[in-house]
Amino acid sequence: MPGPGGARSPRYLTIAATLRDRILARELAPHDPLPSERELGEQFGVSRMTARQAITVLESEGHVCRRPPRGTFVAEPRVRFRIGSFTEEANRLGRRPRAELLWAAETEPDPDTRAALDLHDGATVHAFRRLRLMEDEPIAIETTYFAAAATPGILDKADEGSLWTLVTELYGTELHHSDAVLESIVLDEKSCALLHIRAGSPGIMLTRRTYDAAGACVEYARDVYRADRAAFEVTASLTS
């Protein structure tokens, strides 16, 4: 497959692209076994090392998963999220959400959090870090901040459900909309351990702001998702 300027792509990328197309076309369905490295080598006329590189590409993209010693299998499709509450999105998709609280504290905000929540110098935030699971599979690590002055007592009431629901019920806050920036990242060893994936795996960093009906930012969050299990749907208005 020619690349920019007519240069040919490495063979392992061509093989990965061919297999990816077959997976996306459902010629290979979830849980189907992938051909072995030896079989791929024979099929494409390459070494087992080249075949292994192609499989590694597909694994990093989340299209396949290795299950030693059984082999490599086509992975389940990524969960397609919309920007918003993890709990609400899981319920919309018919999946069972769960949260494990990793820590919660009142703390000083970093500059980005202070600016997002429009806090004065000396103001503190209530911060939560939670592991989010869907059908008991770890999907994301959420770090969420609220202005401490606006959320008294919330540290004692965080449960396994939606923090949005909690804020609405406790303080009568009417949440209106969220916006977010998505970035590709490489996950650190601790995050990978929590998410049950290999160290150095790719992730998606979602930096999110949630606003009330008056347009004030009431929540600032940095959420880290497994890139192999999550995708995001984005809708844009085309009206001027």
Side-chain angles (χ1 to χ4, degrees):
M1 181 182 297
R8 296 184 63 84
S9 298
R11 287 287 288 150
Y12 74 91
L13 291 180
T14 301
I15 296 167
T18 300
L19 294 172
R20 185 190 304 114
D21 288 345
R22 292 184 63 193
I23 291 169
L24 294 177
R26 294 301 179 96
E27 294 175 21
L28 292 170
H31 308 295
D32 280 353
L34 208 67
S36 68
E37 293 172 4
R38 179 182 58 79
E39 291 169 333
L40 288 174
E42 293 174 353
Q43 179 181 346
F44 291 96
V46 298
S47 67
R48 290 185 62 173
M49 177 63 73
T50 299
R52 185 177 303 128
Q53 288 177 298
I55 294 173
T56 298
V57 169
L58 294 173
E59 183 184 27
S60 70
E61 294 175 346
H63 292 299
V64 303
C65 55
R66 286 187 168 102
R67 299 175 186 165
R70 296 176 56 203
T72 302
F73 296 82
V74 178
E76 287 280 348
R78 289 177 174 86
V79 179
R80 299 178 67 89
F81 290 93
R82 297 184 299 206
I83 304 301
S85 162
F86 185 98
T87 299
E88 292 177 6
E89 282 300 287
N91 290 334
R92 177 181 69 85
L93 295 166
R95 309 285 188 94
R96 180 172 58 87
R98 189 161 63 84
E100 292 181 5
L101 183 64
L102 302 175
W103 54 258
E106 182 172 350
T107 185
E108 294 183 3
D110 62 31
D112 287 344
T113 304
R114 179 181 292 109
L117 294 174
D118 195 22
L119 301 175
H120 60 74
D121 290 345
T124 59
V125 292
H126 288 142
F128 302 85
R129 179 162 294 172
R130 305 193 302 167
L131 179 66
R132 300 311 310 266
L133 304 95
M134 196 173 285
E135 305 294 349
D136 291 325
E137 179 185 23
I139 300 291
I141 301 168
E142 294 180 342
T143 308
T144 309
Y145 304 92
F146 300 99
T151 53
I154 195 172
L155 294 178
D156 300 323
K157 297 181 181 296
D159 58 11
E160 293 192 350
S162 168
L163 289 176
W164 283 12
T165 299
L166 190 61
V167 168
T168 299
E169 293 178 348
L170 287 178
Y171 313 109
T173 303
E174 181 183 350
L175 302 179
H176 186 265
H177 69 279
S178 287
D179 61 33
V181 175
L182 281 73
E183 302 172 86
S184 297
I185 62 171
V186 175
L187 298 173
D188 60 27
E189 187 173 353
K190 185 175 182 180
S191 297
C192 288
L194 287 168
L195 293 170
H196 298 176
I197 52 179
R198 294 184 186 184
S201 292
I204 302 170
M205 168 75 81
L206 186 149
T207 304
R208 176 166 47 88
R209 292 171 171 83
T210 304
Y211 300 87
D212 64 16
C217 180
V218 296
E219 177 206 41
Y220 181 66
R222 297 187 186 100
D223 305 334
V224 174
Y225 285 78
R226 290 175 51 172
D228 65 331
R229 294 297 294 124
F232 287 88
E233 298 178 0
V234 178
T235 301
S237 173
L238 302 182
T239 59
S240 58

